[in-house]
């Protein structure tokens, strides 16, 4: 709580009235101290205090920073400031009116106004690939959405579809439009959160540690800086909406790109690009760029078979292309023969530390036991919710929900027909080579009343007014011990 300010000399003149209203805005924000406001406003406490002193009209950047830090409406205050400045005859030249405050690099570089001579320009994106192939229409759509519809773009798709590669190529395409820097965070860790990545972003943007708030206001400061600059922000491997939603602001000058196997349908106001596999010509082009176009032309039929066995999945196609490049004595037909062996395909799809089996296995481990069972049942029962429902003894709706969770894990794709799903040959081979034991029921002697109790506790679905089909599906899940929250 800030200490009481010296009373204004007068609130009758326009400058005094302006200062009085700034003080009222600060009061409605909880009367934070000027030192605390400085962390968000990026101006020195003395500068902010002077803005509300009533001695003179503060500059527009100071006014807007003060207002934003107190939760006010910048556009309203900017209009008011311009009217007052014009009446006082103190309006700055047009080219300087919209200059945003630049965050200080360090206390030693801050002058009396709390300003720093230049802003940091981060370049955090990882190295992309030199063999990017295809995706022309998707890139054009993404660039159009980013340019005209901003400020957030969601890129989803199955495991190995090349979502990050696509995002990095998009960053190259938009580098001229977003020249103020690039920020990057990998959100794949279960503990990753918006609050965890924001301090690093602020440091990269030139905010010294002493100026970074240690509470939720740091996210507000990050959003403010997004609005003041033209940045490309890549949030890779998001697993749920909560990791992303706090970082999305209303800025139209910066772009946040999110990649995820899940569709994160809970995110509102984002534009979406869904990536699938490559076309066959694109797969052959990628193999040729990696292994040598002459080798591929010499064994074009074998290369075509190789792409088919990889399901045209960019990750797998890239792995086999690099394997061929590393072994000039191999024939393309020889590797295609190895991949045709279902028992050897997973072992064959590895190069260096990139192993397709390990990537599938990591996604598999994150599944619930019942979702794992559904994946294995799908191999035997066919790619329909009805077949899985029959083999697992559950309702079709419940089976459909399980298969939707497998789509969001990146192991399945949705087919054009309702209730049907696509499983690539690689995922099928992985499932067939992965031991699986069906999950044990919550109780071997679970009775219908016991299942009713479980459902009531977990989903509040023990009501008699539920439709019979919904109740039956819920009870079948509860009896298996699944949490359906």
């Amino acid at each position: 709580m800030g200490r009481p300010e010296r009373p204004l000399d007068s609130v009758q003149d326009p400058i005094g009235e302006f200062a009085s209203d700034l003080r009222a805005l600060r009061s409605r924000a909880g009367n934070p101290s000027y030192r605390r406001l400085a962390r968000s406003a990026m101006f020195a406490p003395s500068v902010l205090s002077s803005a509300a002193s009533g001695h003179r009209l503060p500059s527009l950047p100071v006014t807007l920073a003060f207002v934003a830090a107190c939760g006010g409406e910048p556009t309203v205050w900017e209009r008011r400031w311009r009217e007052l400045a014009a009446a006082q005859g103190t309006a700055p030249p047009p080219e300087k009116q919209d200059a945003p405050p630049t965050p200080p690099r360090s206390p030693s570089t801050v002058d009396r106004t709390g300003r720093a001579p230049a802003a940091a320009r981060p370049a955090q994106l990882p190295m992309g690939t030199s063999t990017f192939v295809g995706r022309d229409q998707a890139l054009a759509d993404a660039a159009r959405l980013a340019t005209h519809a901003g400020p957030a773009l969601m890129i989803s798709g199955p495991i190995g579809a090349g979502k990050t590669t696509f995002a990095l190529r998009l960053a190259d395409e938009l580098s001229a439009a977003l020249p103020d820097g690039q920020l990057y965070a990998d959100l794949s860790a279960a503990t990753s959160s918006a609050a965890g990545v924001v301090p690093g972003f602020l440091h990269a943007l030139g905010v010294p540690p002493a100026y970074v708030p240690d509470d939720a206001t740091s996210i507000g400061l990050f959003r403010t800086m997004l609005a003041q600059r033209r940045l490309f922000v890549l949030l890779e491997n998001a697993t749920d909406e909560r990791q992303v939603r706090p970082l999305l602001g209303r800025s139209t000058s910066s772009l946040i790109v999110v990649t995820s196997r899940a569709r994160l349908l809970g995110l509102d106001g984002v534009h979406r690009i869904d990536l699938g596999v490559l076309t066959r010509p694109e797969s052959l082009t990628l193999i040729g760029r990696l292994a040598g176009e002459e080798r591929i032309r010499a064994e074009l039929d074998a290369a075509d078979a190789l792409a088919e066995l990889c399901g045209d999945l960019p990750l797998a196609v890239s792995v086999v292309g690099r394997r061929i490049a590393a072994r000039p004595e191999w024939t393309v037909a020889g590797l295609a023969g190895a991949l045709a062996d279902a028992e050897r395909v997973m072992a064959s799809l590895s190069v260096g530390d990139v192993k397709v089996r390990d990537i599938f296995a990591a996604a598999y481990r994150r599944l619930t036991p019942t979702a794992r069972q559904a994946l294995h049942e799908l191999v035997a029962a066919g790619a329909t919710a009805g077949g899985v429902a029959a083999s697992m003894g559950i309702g079709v709706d419940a089976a459909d929900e399980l298969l939707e969770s497998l789509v969001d894990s990146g192991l399945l794709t949705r087919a054009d027909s309702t209730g049907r799903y696509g499983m690539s040959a690689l995922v099928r081979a992985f499932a067939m080579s992965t031991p699986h034991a069906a999950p044990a029921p919550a109780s071997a002697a679970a009775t219908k009343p016991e299942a009713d109790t479980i459902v009531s506790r977990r989903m509040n679905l023990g009501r008699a007014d539920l439709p019979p089909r919904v109740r039956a599906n819920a009870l079948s899940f509860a009896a298996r011990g699944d949490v359906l929250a």
Side-chain angles (χ1 to χ4, degrees):
M1 186 71 80
R3 63 185 180 185
E5 292 184 278
R6 178 181 300 174
L8 293 168
D9 295 334
S10 172
V11 294
Q12 303 304 317
D13 64 282
I15 300 296
E17 182 182 1
F18 190 85
S20 177
D21 290 346
L22 283 176
R23 292 187 178 193
L25 181 65
R26 177 180 169 229
S27 178
R28 290 193 295 271
N31 202 31
S33 69
Y34 283 114
R35 185 174 298 278
R36 181 178 177 184
L37 282 183
R39 297 175 182 172
S40 298
M42 302 308 302
F43 281 94
S46 60
V47 175
L48 299 175
S49 175
S50 177
S53 68
H55 295 155
R56 64 182 64 85
L57 180 66
S59 69
L60 179 57
V62 169
T63 300
L64 295 181
F66 189 112
V67 168
C70 293
E73 178 53 55
T75 56
V76 173
W77 281 87
E78 180 176 356
R79 183 171 60 252
R80 183 175 174 184
W81 183 94
R82 291 188 185 279
E83 292 172 354
L84 183 54
Q88 297 288 317
T90 58
E95 67 272 12
K96 295 184 179 180
Q97 287 181 350
D98 295 325
T102 305
R105 290 177 175 175
S106 66
S108 61
T109 63
V110 180
D111 62 21
R112 291 183 179 181
T113 66
R115 302 284 295 277
R121 187 182 182 279
Q124 295 186 342
L125 294 184
M127 183 175 66
T129 178
S130 59
T131 55
F132 185 86
V133 169
R135 310 293 197 195
D136 293 339
Q137 186 58 54
L139 268 176
D141 291 342
R144 175 180 52 81
L145 290 172
T147 303
H148 301 291
L153 184 67
M154 177 80 209
I155 301 172
S156 58
I159 294 173
K163 298 177 287 295
T164 298
T165 300
F166 180 88
L168 294 174
R169 175 52 63 97
L170 179 62
D172 293 338
E173 296 280 331
L174 299 176
S175 59
L178 302 170
D180 293 336
Q182 300 163 334
L183 298 171
Y184 171 83
D186 185 348
L187 302 178
S188 58
T191 56
S192 295
S193 66
V197 303
V198 163
F201 283 169
L202 293 178
H203 293 164
L205 291 170
V207 182
Y211 283 80
V212 175
D214 55 3
D215 53 23
T217 58
S218 63
I219 294 178
L221 175 56
F222 174 66
R223 292 175 182 163
T224 299
M225 299 189 78
L226 283 182
Q228 294 173 347
R229 303 193 190 183
R230 292 170 293 174
L231 298 163
F232 184 98
V233 183
L234 176 55
L235 305 175
E236 186 184 8
N237 296 322
T239 57
D240 63 55
E241 292 88 344
R242 290 171 296 180
Q243 293 176 306
V244 175
R245 187 180 288 114
L247 300 175
L248 304 182
R250 302 180 67 179
S251 168
T252 57
S253 60
S254 294
L255 175 67
I256 293 181
V257 176
V258 182
T259 70
S260 178
R261 297 168 187 170
R263 293 156 292 176
L264 305 187
L265 297 178
L267 293 180
D268 189 20
V270 302
H271 302 279
R272 299 176 180 275
I273 297 290
D274 188 25
L275 296 182
V277 298
L278 299 172
T279 66
R280 183 56 49 79
E282 290 170 346
S283 293
L284 294 176
T285 298
L286 179 55
I287 297 174
R289 289 187 182 178
L290 291 166
E293 295 180 0
E294 292 184 1
R295 289 181 70 181
I296 300 307
R297 280 197 295 267
E299 296 185 78
L300 191 57
D301 289 343
D304 189 273
L306 194 61
E308 175 74 23
L309 291 166
C310 289
D312 295 303
L313 190 68
L315 170 65
V317 172
S318 174
V319 167
V320 298
R322 283 183 279 173
R323 288 202 71 184
I324 295 172
R327 301 294 295 270
E329 73 276 13
W330 281 5
T331 63
V332 178
L335 183 55
L339 288 181
D341 185 345
E343 295 182 358
R344 296 174 57 194
V345 61
M346 285 292 109
S348 299
L349 285 174
S350 66
V351 57
D353 64 346
V354 179
K355 303 180 187 336
V356 174
R357 169 182 283 282
D358 290 350
I359 297 172
F360 284 168
Y364 181 82
R365 287 192 296 269
R366 287 193 288 268
L367 298 175
T368 65
T370 309
R372 294 178 191 174
Q373 182 184 2
L375 181 67
H376 289 277
E377 295 292 348
L378 197 63
V379 174
T384 67
V388 171
S391 63
M392 294 181 66
I394 60 177
V396 175
D397 288 347
D400 192 61
E401 287 298 318
L402 275 175
L403 297 180
E404 285 293 303
S405 73
L406 290 173
V407 171
D408 281 339
S409 76
L411 293 168
L412 291 187
T413 57
R414 190 181 293 98
D416 294 335
S417 302
T418 302
R420 297 193 65 85
Y421 294 84
M423 175 183 284
S424 71
L426 296 182
V427 173
R428 184 179 298 274
F430 168 79
M432 293 177 65
S433 64
T434 301
H436 171 70
S443 171
T447 62
K448 186 174 182 296
E450 289 172 337
D452 282 339
T453 301
I454 295 171
V455 171
S456 297
R457 183 172 67 248
R458 294 181 179 175
M459 294 186 64
N460 194 26
L461 291 179
R463 308 189 311 273
D465 61 335
L466 284 172
R469 186 177 182 184
V470 174
R471 182 178 177 79
N473 289 339
L475 291 174
S476 69
F477 271 85
R480 293 174 183 274
D482 288 322
V483 178
L484 300 182

